[in-house]
């Protein structure tokens, strides 16, 4: 059972565990006593699993449904944490097949294999950008539409099988060791190289959530699936409830790090569907709130040298 996030007997299967958020979650679950299995591709780089590599079981998925069924039988998880995703924004025609495979086919193979092997607890990952213009559904990009499409497929399984699912819609995530092209690593690079950084006009609001708070949300969602049989198909927004203008975020970054940046505001144009106001109408996961303030989070995120 789970007690204060700690578990000595439960098994987790994590997809996307070679990525930033997934690797952090896999390491956290392993540190909290879960038996952690992860799904990687044949070419996946396992570096992000760092020191937990020895206590985590890695299953290689060859893209087929048969391979997914075999992984599910071997892992026999109590909960599946689904974070695998491919997010080219904006996309090109060449991205169509790999994006639909990563964001729709892969997840469907995962859930189908769960049902076939009697595994019923599923935590899915959505995104704030499925809500362009702060409306219930309006995809800011094709990537967001594929996330919504998989969520709709999930509803088929929760309505017709014993599957229990919680979808966590994440906002902008930041933290240490982040090599993704995200806001904080970009500012860190500009600061350490003392080079000007081209940005949009910076009027958009961003909802920044520290990686440890994100891992808390996944653990809490797992507790909810274990303790509430009535959960069938819930969706929660993992928001700081405190969006900040990008321009002001840069100022906070400068104050916290003591680094002066040369920002070329407006040198980059907004995306065609740039999110100016992030999703603010989503329900927060009961019992969860962001505990790490932006100042504290930026201090922690910039303490360790970024990995480029
Ligand atoms: N700002 C944010 O970070 C943000 C905001 C909203 C939502 N999200 C969601 O949060 C989740 C984690 O995001 P992230 O930034 O940590 O992602 P990431 O660093 O880009 O990692 C993506 C992960 O997905 C795996 N993956 C992709 N396609 C796959 C496939 N076809 N088969 C197996 N594995 C596949 C990758 O494996 P390889 O190592 O093999 O490439 C990698 O482990 C995603 O679902 C994303 O949509 C993130």
């Amino acid at each position: 059972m789970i007690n204060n996030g700690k578990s000595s007997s439960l098994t987790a299967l994590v997809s996307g565990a070679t990525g930033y958020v997934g690797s952090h979650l896999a390491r956290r679950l392993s540190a909290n006593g879960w038996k952690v299995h992860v799904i990687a591709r044949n070419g996946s780089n396992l570096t992000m699993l760092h020191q937990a590599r020895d206590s985590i079981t890695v299953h290689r998925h060859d893209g087929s449904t048969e391979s997914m069924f075999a992984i599910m039988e071997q892992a026999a998880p109590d909960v599946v944490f689904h974070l695998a995703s491919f997010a080219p924004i904006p996309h090109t025609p060449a991205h169509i097949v790999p994006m639909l495979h990563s964001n729709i086919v892969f997840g469907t193979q995962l859930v189908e294999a769960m049902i076939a092997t009697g595994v019923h607890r599923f935590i899915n990952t959505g995104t704030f950008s499925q809500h362009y213009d702060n409306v219930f559904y309006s995809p800011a990009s094709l990537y967001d539409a594929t996330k919504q499409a998989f969520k709709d497929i999930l509803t088929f399984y929760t309505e017709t099988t014993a599957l229990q699912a919680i979808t966590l819609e994440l906002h902008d995530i930041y933290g240490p060791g982040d090599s993704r092209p995200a806001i904080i690593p970009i500012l860190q690079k500009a600061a350490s190289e003392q080079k000007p950084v081209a940005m949009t006009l910076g009027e958009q609001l961003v909802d920044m959530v520290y990686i440890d708070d994100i891992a808390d949300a996944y653990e809490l969602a797992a507790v909810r699936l274990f303790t509430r049989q009535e959960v069938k198909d819930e969706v929660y927004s993992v928001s700081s409830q405190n969006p900040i203008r990008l321009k002001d975020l840069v100022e906070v970054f400068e104050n916290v790090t003591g680094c002066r940046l040369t920002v070329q505001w407006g040198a980059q144009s907004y995306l065609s569907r740039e999110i100016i106001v992030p999703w603010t109408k989503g329900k927060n996961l009961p019992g969860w709130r962001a505990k790490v303030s932006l100042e504290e989070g930026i201090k922690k995120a910039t303490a360790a040298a970024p990995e480029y």
Side-chain angles (χ1 to χ4, degrees), residues 84-105:
S85 173
F86 178 43
I89 301 170
H91 74 279
T92 67
H95 291 133
I96 301 288
V97 172
M99 185 161 48
L100 268 64
H101 187 85
S102 294
N103 301 348
I104 299 178
V105 176

Side-chain angles (χ1 to χ4, degrees), residues 16 18-21 41 44 83-85 102 127 143 147 171 180:
T18 52
Y20 184 66
V21 183
R41 295 186 269 199
S44 295
L83 292 96
S85 173
S102 294
T127 172
Y143 150 71
K147 285 290 221 179
H171 286 255
R180 299 167 305 162

Side-chain angles (χ1 to χ4, degrees), residues 19-58:
Y20 184 66
V21 183
S23 61
H24 197 91
L25 176 63
R27 294 196 311 263
R28 158 79 76 90
L29 293 171
S30 176
N32 284 348
W34 289 70
K35 293 188 196 67
V36 179
H37 292 241
V38 305
I39 306 173
R41 295 186 269 199
N42 295 332
S44 295
N45 173 339
L46 304 178
T47 313
M48 293 293 285
L49 290 171
H50 292 302
Q51 58 283 32
R53 178 67 192 82
D54 304 336
S55 59
I56 286 176
T57 308
V58 177

Side-chain angles (χ1 to χ4, degrees), residues 4-263:
N4 288 337
K6 296 220 173 298
S7 154
S8 56
S9 58
L10 293 174
T11 300
L13 179 61
V14 183
S15 78
T18 52
Y20 184 66
V21 183
S23 61
H24 197 91
L25 176 63
R27 294 196 311 263
R28 158 79 76 90
L29 293 171
S30 176
N32 284 348
W34 289 70
K35 293 188 196 67
V36 179
H37 292 241
V38 305
I39 306 173
R41 295 186 269 199
N42 295 332
S44 295
N45 173 339
L46 304 178
T47 313
M48 293 293 285
L49 290 171
H50 292 302
Q51 58 283 32
R53 178 67 192 82
D54 304 336
S55 59
I56 286 176
T57 308
V58 177
H59 302 266
R60 299 282 179 175
H61 180 231
D62 66 6
S64 70
T65 305
E66 296 68 32
S67 160
M68 188 65 84
F69 272 57
I71 291 170
M72 199 60 68
E73 262 149 31
Q74 287 154 22
D78 298 289
V79 185
V80 173
F81 298 83
H82 178 41
L83 292 96
S85 173
F86 178 43
I89 301 170
H91 74 279
T92 67
H95 291 133
I96 301 288
V97 172
M99 185 161 48
L100 268 64
H101 187 85
S102 294
N103 301 348
I104 299 178
V105 176
F106 179 91
T108 309
Q109 291 170 320
L110 194 55
V111 175
E112 188 76 23
M114 289 175 67
I115 301 303
T117 51
V119 178
H120 297 130
R121 297 186 194 90
F122 186 71
I123 302 174
N124 182 37
T125 304
T127 172
F128 71 103
S129 42
Q130 290 164 239
H131 308 279
Y132 177 67
D133 242 4
N134 213 6
V135 299
F136 180 73
Y137 177 56
S138 179
S141 70
L142 182 61
Y143 150 71
D144 301 300
T146 63
K147 285 290 221 179
Q148 184 67 39
F150 177 65
K151 173 62 191 65
D152 294 343
I153 287 170
L154 200 51
T155 299
F156 164 72
Y157 286 100
T158 55
E159 290 186 0
T160 60
T161 74
L163 189 78
Q164 293 178 276
I166 292 178
T167 295
L168 299 178
E169 293 188 335
L170 309 182
H171 286 255
D172 278 299
I173 301 157
Y174 71 106
D178 189 355
S179 57
R180 299 167 305 162
I183 302 166
I184 301 296
I186 288 170
L187 296 180
Q188 272 188 282
K189 195 165 193 288
S192 67
E193 296 176 354
Q194 286 298 302
K195 284 204 182 121
V197 55
M199 297 188 86
T200 62
L201 282 171
E203 295 304 326
Q204 65 270 52
L205 293 173
V206 288
D207 188 328
M208 304 292 290
V209 182
Y210 189 71
I211 187 67
D212 287 356
D213 286 326
I214 297 289
D216 288 353
Y218 280 93
E219 285 193 305
L220 207 54
V223 170
R224 192 171 170 76
L225 286 174
F226 275 100
T227 54
R228 294 167 174 271
Q229 300 316 313
E230 76 280 11
V231 170
K232 269 311 272 176
D233 192 354
E234 298 180 346
V235 179
Y236 296 106
S237 174
V238 183
S239 160
S240 68
Q241 308 275 326
N242 186 21
I244 181 171
R245 214 170 45 123
L246 181 60
K247 265 192 170 158
D248 303 329
L249 172 67
V250 169
E251 217 174 293
V252 173
F253 179 92
E254 290 182 314
N255 296 340
V256 169
T257 61
C259 302
R260 291 290 133 230
L261 294 169
T262 310
V263 180

